[in-house]
Amino acid sequence: MITAAEDQAAAETNVETIEREIGELARVLEAMQRRRNYPLDRAQFLLLRVLEARGPTPTATLADLLLLDDSTVTRQIAAMEDAELVAREPNPNDRRSSLIHATRHGLTVMRKMRRMRLERIDRLVADWTADERDTLAGLLTKLNGTLKRSLKDA
């Protein structure tokens, strides 16, 4: 029979393992990002994915969705405009702001990068079972939801 103290020790070990593995995951993903020859940086890719899903969106909404401050998103948008990845259009609901939309070029580049990323991930888990892939997908979705909620509560 497992005692309460043993159960607590096991939970602490799991938490320690999770903490270590999340740190390792972040480090490995950063290293992989630096070594990949992607056509966009991560911030540009994520912003374009949001615009693809939502359509024209105000900067403040983009900042909220990307969990960034307005000034950071404004700088990213300016650089992306220079690269013709996004464009501004008047906001019909608020003349003080504009809507940001992905250009055809921006969507083409983002979709190319998404294909590259999907192919790479597919190769990484090629020898995993369908159940293992499903489990990972579900747990990552759950973890991201928990992390996002914790940011809102902070």
Side-chain angles (χ1 to χ4, degrees):
M1 175 169 282
I2 297 176
T3 66
E6 291 170 328
D7 195 38
Q8 178 65 29
E12 288 174 6
T13 300
N14 288 341
V15 169
E16 290 170 356
T17 300
I18 291 167
E19 182 274 333
R20 183 184 67 249
E21 292 300 327
I22 287 175
E24 182 74 5
L25 176 63
R27 187 184 67 72
V28 170
L29 289 174
E30 288 171 5
M32 290 179 86
Q33 179 70 22
R34 287 189 303 270
R35 292 182 183 162
R36 299 286 171 219
N37 189 22
Y38 286 137
L40 300 168
D41 68 32
R42 185 173 39 107
Q44 293 171 330
F45 176 75
L46 295 174
L47 197 143
L48 286 165
R49 285 196 62 178
V50 169
L51 292 174
E52 178 188 44
R54 296 182 56 93
T57 305
T59 302
T61 302
L62 289 170
D64 287 343
L65 292 168
L66 295 169
L67 307 172
L68 298 168
D69 62 75
D70 288 355
S71 63
T72 300
V73 173
T74 299
R75 284 191 302 276
Q76 288 176 346
I77 290 168
M80 291 174 74
E81 279 182 301
D82 291 344
E84 299 181 354
L85 299 169
V86 299
R88 295 175 193 267
E89 62 186 61
N91 186 343
N93 299 322
D94 182 357
R95 292 179 187 229
R96 297 168 296 162
S97 71
S98 52
L99 299 174
I100 308 304
H101 70 88
T103 63
R104 182 176 301 196
H105 170 66
L107 289 175
T108 298
V109 174
M110 183 273 300
R111 289 172 181 153
K112 175 184 177 186
M113 183 167 165
R114 182 171 47 207
R115 279 191 308 276
M116 292 169 72
R117 289 167 53 111
L118 290 172
E119 289 168 2
R120 179 178 51 87
I121 292 167
D122 192 47
R123 284 191 309 272
L124 286 171
V125 296
D127 61 342
W128 293 28
T129 67
D131 285 346
E132 288 171 328
R133 288 178 179 214
D134 289 345
T135 298
L136 179 61
L139 290 173
L140 286 173
T141 299
K142 185 174 184 174
L143 177 62
N144 279 327
T146 299
L147 291 171
K148 288 176 186 174
R149 283 191 302 280
S150 75
L151 284 173
K152 291 179 182 175
D153 295 341

